[in-house]
Amino acid sequence: MHRLLLLIIPLLGFATISVSSAAQNQKEKTMPDNSPNKKFALVIHGGAGVVSRESIPEADAKLMQQDLNRALDAGYAVLSRGGPALEAVTAAIIVLEDSPWFNAGKGSVFNAEGGHELDASVMEGHTRRAGAVAGVTTVKNPILLARSVMEKSPHVMLAGEGAEKFADTQKDIERVDPKYFDTEKRWQQLQDAKAKEMAELTHTVQGTYFGTVGAVALDQQGHIAAGTSTGGMTNKKWSRVGDSPIIGAGTFATDKCGVSGTGWGEFYIRAVVAHDICARVEYRGDSLALAAEDVINKIVPEMGGDGGAIALDKDGNIAMPFNTGGMSRGWINPDGTRGTAIFRD
Amino acid sequence: MHRLLLLIIPLLGFATISVSSAAQNQKEKTMPDNSPNKKFALVIHGGAGVVSRESIPEADAKLMQQDLNRALDAGYAVLSRGGPALEAVTAAIIVLEDSPWFNAGKGSVFNAEGGHELDASVMEGHTRRAGAVAGVTTVKNPILLARSVMEKSPHVMLAGEGAEKFADTQKDIERVDPKYFDTEKRWQQLQDAKAKEMAELTHTVQGTYFGTVGAVALDQQGHIAAGTSTGGMTNKKWSRVGDSPIIGAGTFATDKCGVSGTGWGEFYIRAVVAHDICARVEYRGDSLALAAEDVINKIVPEMGGDGGAIALDKDGNIAMPFNTGGMSRGWINPDGTRGTAIFRD
C-alpha cells in the first residue's frame, strides 16, 4: 500500500506540472527538471582505506563484491520499477549494513570502550530534506533511523541517547542487543589498535575507516538521493563524531548532484567534502568528474587527509575517486552496464 | 610567553616569504596573501530571531548592546595588538557566553528535560583547522572546549558525555554546576513552549533560537577565523544537534571568507549555509554581500527556514543579512568605524 502511494505521488506531481506548464505554453522550457527522464543510475561504496591487494585474501574480496552486487541489485530493483532515489539508497545501504564485511551495522568497528557507536545520514536532493543520527547503539539499521529523523521528526540530526529515545518512538525501527554488531575480526582490530596506542603513546586515528558504506541514486523522475552509514573509527574515544552523519561533509544531495564520502572524517568535515564537490559543479560549471577528482585527490591530501567518495549528477554521470590503496565500490550506469571493484583495476 | 611566540611566528613566516619573493623579483605578485596587511576587522552576532521592537524593552536592548560592545572591545584588543583572528573570535564569544542576555553559556535555553545542552564550534581559515562540541552540560565556555578539541585532540567533533570526558582531561577548561546556566527568563520560555506544545499537540521548534552568538575576525596577518556558540532551541528533545556545532552549516572559514550563522538550525544544516556563502564567493566570484544576501534571503526562506548570518572576507568587507525581525550584531570595519544594532535601523 505504502509502495503504491510512493509510486502514485510522483505521477500526480508530474500530472499537475504538466497541466500548468501547458497552460503557460512553456512546456519545453519548464518540463525538464520534473519530467520522468527514464534515465537512472546507482553508485555505492563499501569504504576507502589504507589497504593493499595482499591484505585482503582473494576469497574475502570475492565475498565482499558479492555483497556489493546484492546491494546494487536491491537499489536497482527500486529504480527500474520507477521508485524514488531515496528508497533505492536506503535499500542498497541496508544490504551493506547487514553484511559483516563492512564497517556499518553488523560488522561495525569497536570504540575504545569495546562498544559500538553507529552514525548515518541521508539526504533527498530535490526537497533538500535530510536526516542524521550519531552514536546510536541498538539500532540494527542506522540508515533507517536517519530516514525516520528526516521524515518523522522536526529535526535533522539527533545524537547518542537522545537518538535512541527517538528510536523508541518509532515502531518500524528494528532494535538489537549491542552484541549483534560484534565480529571477531573487528575485535582483533581493536586489540591491535590498543597495542599500537600503548606502544606509540598516541591515539590511533588513521587508516582504520575502511568499510564505511554509502549510496547515491538517480531515479526515473530525475531526482537524486545520497546516504552514508558507518561504525566510525576503531578505538574511537569521547563520542567522536566523524563526517558520515554530517550533512555537507559525508553526505549531500541537490537536484543536480549527490555525494557520499568515505575517508578520514576529520579532514572530510574541515573540507566540507560532499557539499564542496556539488558547489564546484553548480557554481563553477566543473564536470562532476573534475570536481570530485579535485576535492578527493587535491584538497583532502593537501590538508593531510585521505579517503574517497562516490558522486552522481543529474545526467547519470558517475565519479568514484579515491586517494587510498582501495575503495570497494559498485555502479550501474544509465545504459545498464555495471561493475564492482576494490582496487585500481 | 605563548603570546610572544604567536606574535613571532607570523613575523618569521613573513620574513621568509619576503626574501624568497624578492629573489624572484615578484614581490608585488606573491606578497598579498601572506604579508601583514595591517587591515583588520571584526563582526559579531547575538542571534537572529522572530522578535519585534516591542518585544524587547528599550532598557534591555541597551544592556544587550552594552554587552555586544564589550565583546567587540575584547576581540578588537586582540586584533589591534596584532594577535590572531582565532584569539579575537574566542575572546569576543567568551564575553557573549558569560552574558545572561544571549542564548549561549550563561543564559542558555532549557531543553525539554529542564536541563541545558550547549553546542559550539570554531574554525581557523588559513589552516582549515576546526573544533566542535555538541551537548555539553558542565563547561562554562563551550567555545573554549571547541578550541581545545581543535588544538589538543585528533578529532574535530565530540558529542555529549564523550565531550565531557574530554573536558575532564583539559586542565584549563572551567567547569560549572549545570545550575550556573539557569536564568529566570529562559525558564519561563520553557514553560511557555511546553504550554504551547500541549495546546497544539506539536513539538515547538521555530522562533526560539534568538540569542545564539558568533564572531568572525580578520587579523593583521590577513587570517580569518569564525566561531559560534549556542544553547540551542528551547524545549529541544532527543539530543537534537543544530547547525552551530556543524562545520559548514553554522561555522566555516577559509583564508578568503568566514561565516557564523544564526537561525533555524535544521534549514541551516540542509542548506550548508556557512560553506555555501564562501563557495559562491570562491567559485563564482560573487561579492561577499551578494553571496550572503542570496543564501540568507533567498535559499533559506525558499526552503521554509529563517535566520541570519555574519560574514567577513579577506579585504575586511562585512555582511550581516537576516530575514527575521531582528539580529543583534556588532561590527568594527577596517577603517575603525564601529556600531551595534538589533533591528533594521
Side-chain angles (χ1 to χ4, degrees):
Chain A
M1 181 59 189
H2 268 107
R3 194 142 286 162
L4 195 64
L5 274 175
L6 284 172
L7 281 170
I8 290 171
I9 290 166
L11 290 173
L12 287 175
F14 168 56
T16 315
I17 286 155
S18 174
V19 169
S20 78
S21 296
Q24 291 168 53
N25 223 357
Q26 296 182 337
K27 202 170 175 181
E28 281 312 302
K29 273 174 89 178
T30 55
M31 286 294 291
D33 281 348
N34 296 288
S35 63
N37 58 359
K38 296 289 175 200
K39 198 188 269 182
F40 54 101
L42 176 65
V43 57
I44 63 173
H45 71 76
V50 185
V51 289
S52 61
R53 220 175 272 268
E54 298 72 43
S55 67
I56 302 181
E58 208 166 307
D60 289 2
K62 216 168 249 181
L63 289 169
M64 228 182 250
Q65 282 177 278
Q66 216 167 71
D67 283 352
L68 287 171
N69 269 308
R70 287 201 303 118
L72 282 177
D73 290 342
Y76 197 73
V78 175
L79 297 173
S80 57
R81 69 162 185 265
L86 177 66
E87 187 76 27
V89 161
T90 319
I93 290 178
I94 287 171
V95 171
L96 299 173
E97 284 180 336
D98 290 346
S99 161
W101 288 105
F102 306 98
N103 174 23
K106 175 80 185 169
S108 283
V109 298
F110 287 86
N111 64 17
E113 278 125 28
H116 306 278
E117 292 167 299
L118 314 183
D119 303 333
S121 66
V122 67
M123 186 160 187
E124 184 180 66
H126 69 297
T127 60
R128 285 266 196 136
R129 293 189 304 164
V133 291
V136 296
T137 55
T138 68
V139 174
K140 190 186 176 209
N141 294 108
I143 194 70
L144 289 178
L145 187 61
R147 189 172 160 182
S148 288
V149 170
M150 173 176 112
E151 294 180 327
K152 296 171 187 169
S153 92
H155 300 307
V156 169
M157 185 173 186
L158 303 180
E161 274 181 51
E164 292 283 327
K165 278 186 200 164
F166 172 71
D168 293 344
T169 71
Q170 301 296 305
K171 279 183 192 155
D172 51 348
I173 295 296
E174 192 177 348
R175 311 297 279 276
V176 291
D177 185 289
K179 285 200 176 310
Y180 160 81
F181 301 113
D182 292 2
T183 52
E184 181 53 36
K185 187 178 73 174
R186 299 302 187 189
W187 181 252
Q188 199 48 56
Q189 286 176 353
L190 175 65
Q191 307 317 313
D192 294 350
K194 283 194 178 290
K196 199 175 166 211
E197 185 177 27
M198 291 286 283
E200 299 178 7
L201 295 173
T202 169
H203 184 51
T204 313
V205 293
Q206 196 185 357
T208 54
Y209 39 79
F210 187 64
T212 291
V213 309
V216 190
L218 167 72
D219 66 27
Q220 295 192 36
Q221 277 67 43
H223 298 324
I224 295 173
T228 310
S229 180
T230 189
M233 279 183 174
T234 297
N235 201 25
K236 67 182 174 183
K237 285 177 179 163
W238 306 313
S239 308
R240 172 257 188 189
V241 180
D243 62 310
S244 300
I246 306 286
I247 299 301
T251 301
F252 189 68
T254 66
D255 52 1
K256 298 190 183 76
C257 168
V259 178
S260 169
T262 160
W264 192 345
E266 277 68 19
F267 292 91
Y268 276 54
I269 295 176
R270 290 164 53 195
V272 198
V273 162
H275 186 265
D276 197 27
I277 291 174
C278 292
R280 287 160 184 258
V281 171
E282 173 135 15
Y283 300 139
R284 202 163 59 188
D286 287 2
S287 70
L288 186 80
L290 177 66
E293 180 69 19
D294 277 352
V295 173
I296 298 301
N297 281 309
K298 284 187 191 160
I299 304 293
V300 169
E302 274 168 17
M303 289 171 68
D306 61 3
I310 54 171
L312 185 63
D313 70 14
K314 65 178 168 27
D315 300 317
N317 294 309
I318 287 172
M320 302 174 287
F322 56 99
N323 57 49
T324 48
M327 176 169 82
S328 58
R329 58 204 188 276
W331 62 93
I332 303 181
N333 293 308
D335 65 6
T337 54
R338 63 184 280 171
T340 63
I342 298 180
F343 302 101
R344 240 171 268 283
D345 292 320
Chain B
M1 181 59 190
H2 269 106
R3 193 143 283 162
L4 195 63
L5 273 175
L6 284 170
L7 281 169
I8 289 170
I9 290 165
L11 289 173
L12 286 176
F14 167 56
T16 315
I17 287 154
S18 173
V19 168
S20 80
S21 297
Q24 291 168 52
N25 223 357
Q26 296 181 336
K27 201 172 175 181
E28 281 311 302
K29 272 172 92 178
T30 56
M31 286 293 290
D33 280 349
N34 296 286
S35 64
N37 58 2
K38 296 290 176 195
K39 199 188 268 184
F40 54 101
L42 177 65
V43 57
I44 63 173
H45 70 76
V50 185
V51 289
S52 62
R53 220 175 272 267
E54 299 71 44
S55 68
I56 302 181
E58 208 166 308
D60 289 3
K62 214 168 250 182
L63 289 169
M64 228 182 251
Q65 281 177 279
Q66 214 167 71
D67 283 353
L68 287 170
N69 268 308
R70 287 200 303 118
L72 282 176
D73 290 342
Y76 198 73
V78 175
L79 297 173
S80 57
R81 70 161 185 265
L86 177 66
E87 186 76 27
V89 161
T90 319
I93 290 178
I94 287 172
V95 171
L96 299 173
E97 284 180 336
D98 290 347
S99 161
W101 288 104
F102 305 98
N103 174 22
K106 175 78 185 171
S108 284
V109 298
F110 287 86
N111 64 18
E113 279 126 27
H116 305 278
E117 291 166 299
L118 314 184
D119 304 335
S121 66
V122 68
M123 185 160 189
E124 184 180 66
H126 68 298
T127 59
R128 284 266 197 137
R129 293 189 304 165
V133 291
V136 297
T137 55
T138 68
V139 174
K140 190 185 175 209
N141 293 107
I143 194 71
L144 289 178
L145 187 61
R147 189 171 161 182
S148 289
V149 170
M150 173 176 113
E151 295 180 326
K152 296 172 188 170
S153 92
H155 301 308
V156 168
M157 186 174 184
L158 303 180
E161 273 180 51
E164 292 283 327
K165 278 186 200 162
F166 171 70
D168 294 343
T169 71
Q170 300 296 307
K171 280 183 191 153
D172 52 348
I173 295 296
E174 192 177 347
R175 311 297 279 277
V176 291
D177 185 290
K179 287 199 176 309
Y180 161 80
F181 301 113
D182 292 2
T183 52
E184 181 54 36
K185 186 179 72 177
R186 299 302 187 189
W187 181 252
Q188 199 47 56
Q189 286 176 353
L190 176 65
Q191 306 318 312
D192 294 349
K194 283 194 176 290
K196 199 175 167 210
E197 185 177 26
M198 290 286 282
E200 299 177 7
L201 294 173
T202 169
H203 184 51
T204 315
V205 293
Q206 195 186 356
T208 54
Y209 39 77
F210 188 65
T212 292
V213 309
V216 190
L218 167 71
D219 67 27
Q220 295 192 35
Q221 277 67 45
H223 298 325
I224 294 173
T228 310
S229 180
T230 189
M233 280 182 173
T234 297
N235 200 26
K236 67 183 175 182
K237 286 176 178 163
W238 307 313
S239 308
R240 171 257 189 189
V241 181
D243 61 310
S244 300
I246 305 288
I247 298 301
T251 301
F252 188 68
T254 66
D255 52 1
K256 297 190 183 75
C257 169
V259 177
S260 168
T262 160
W264 192 344
E266 277 67 19
F267 292 91
Y268 276 54
I269 294 175
R270 290 163 54 195
V272 199
V273 162
H275 186 265
D276 196 27
I277 291 173
C278 291
R280 286 161 185 258
V281 170
E282 173 134 17
Y283 300 139
R284 201 161 61 188
D286 286 2
S287 70
L288 185 79
L290 177 67
E293 180 69 19
D294 278 353
V295 173
I296 299 301
N297 281 310
K298 285 187 190 158
I299 304 294
V300 169
E302 274 168 20
M303 290 172 69
D306 60 3
I310 54 171
L312 185 63
D313 71 13
K314 64 177 167 31
D315 300 316
N317 294 309
I318 287 172
M320 301 175 287
F322 56 99
N323 57 50
T324 49
M327 177 169 82
S328 58
R329 57 204 189 277
W331 61 93
I332 302 181
N333 293 307
D335 65 6
T337 55
R338 63 185 280 171
T340 63
I342 298 179
F343 302 100
R344 239 171 270 281
D345 293 319

